[in-house]
Amino acid sequence: MRIFITGICGFVGSALALRLRERWTDAEIFGLDNLSRHGSEVNPPRLRAAGIRVHHGDVRQASDFETLPECDFVIDAAANPSVLAGVDGRTSSRQLVEHNLLGTVNVLEYARTCGAGVVLLSTSRVYSIAALAGLPLCVEDEALTLEPAGPLPPGCSQRGIAEEFSTAAPVSLYGATKLASETLALEYAEAFDLPIVVNRCSVLAGPEQFGVAEQGIFSFWVRAYALKRPLRYIGFGGLGHQVRDALAVDDLAELVALQMQEPHRAGGIWNVGGGPANAMSLAQLSRWCADEFGPHAIDSEPTPRPFDVPWVVLDSGRALAELGWRPRVPIRDILGEIAAHHRQHPDWLDRSRPA
Ligand SMILES: NC(=O)c1ccc[n+]([C@@H]2O[C@H](COP(=O)([O-])OP(=O)(O)OC[C@H]3O[C@@H](n4cnc5c(N)ncnc54)[C@H](O)[C@@H]3O)[C@@H](O)[C@H]2O)c1
């Protein structure tokens, strides 16, 4: 099998490449990256040492695909993954669309030419901000949680947000580039009979993640806390009660491998998250950090940031029902691995940030 991974030097791309290499030792694995993510430059040597080829190139450039060898599967992990991209003053909205949507067009065209399957890494941020903000929530143990008796909208249950949940705008510019990419990918699947899998991921986390406040929150928070850097609870009263579920990148790799083994059965949209058992609020995360690293005061900024939502926990029921997949790595183990990695690489946080 020949596997091509875009964004192969990013957190998810590199992790998938290395884990799939371990699983399928005779697979040919190669990938493309423009090294635009701060920190991604650490990965080419690790990948090459594992026999994985890295091409320097840009998914926005159709001609960068012309000299690539053919493949059987594309994993699309190249993106600007920040929910604030396009409005943060660092990336323009046009640049975001070029990276995340034009890049998908070029990936799909390359897959069509090869007759290859595609795994598109999408996000829980395709879900409607208004619908998420309207969920009936209460506070339990410093964390927002669904009201036990609250009336829930279609696609939401105590197991979390399922694929049927509303994707009505606004979803953030980032979410919109992903939603548009998903639609296009599903059309290519239909029009050209390609096996195309769309994984809507919750917060992915792991020790080698390049965390910044707006992307890679678990990695960012643990490292910044350990270094006693200033941290703030932003929005929702400034109490840190907002909740996300974390999924270990090892668990994602396991699912992607299962999907690639049965690509025609695995087509369409999948929610992929850590679920209620791996959900945690920022305040709870700070408590975990205090046990690990000692006390550190957290500031409060009650004014919300653009596109922020109080509670996102994904229901991965389809993956359990159809592939027997469930997340195995508990959130406390994920955090422990990040903390251990931080102790070995205390400069990692600064590598991950724009200078
Ligand atoms: N990490 C998460 O929590 C998370 C959650 C949901 C979805 N996702 C999705 O997973 C994918 C990977 O995310 P990640 O966390 O690894 O991000 P990352 O920033 O660590 O990796 C992305 C990689 O893509 C590269 N890249 C960006 N633009 C490129 C371009 N135009 N051409 C070539 N390479 C380019 C970057 O240099 C980087 O190495 C993204 O599509 C993201 O939207 C991530």
Side-chain angles (χ1 to χ4, degrees), residues 10-12 33-34 36-37 58-59 99 122 174 178 204 215:
F11 166 57
V12 174
D33 205 296
N34 68 357
S36 57
R37 178 75 195 241
D58 198 303
V59 292
H99 282 289
S122 189
Y174 165 65
K178 289 294 191 173
L204 299 166
Q215 201 269 338

Side-chain angles (χ1 to χ4, degrees), residues 6-14 32-38 40 57-60 76-82 98-100 103 121-124 174 178 199-205 209-210 215-217:
T6 66
I8 195 165
C9 299
F11 166 57
V12 174
S14 60
L32 183 88
D33 205 296
N34 68 357
L35 301 181
S36 57
R37 178 75 195 241
H38 293 270
S40 61
D58 198 303
V59 292
R60 293 170 295 180
D76 187 15
N80 181 332
S82 166
E98 286 176 354
H99 282 289
N100 290 10
L121 287 167
S122 189
T123 169
S124 58
Y174 165 65
K178 289 294 191 173
N199 285 329
R200 288 180 178 165
C201 303
S202 64
V203 178
L204 299 166
Q209 186 163 26
F210 314 116
Q215 201 269 338
I217 184 67

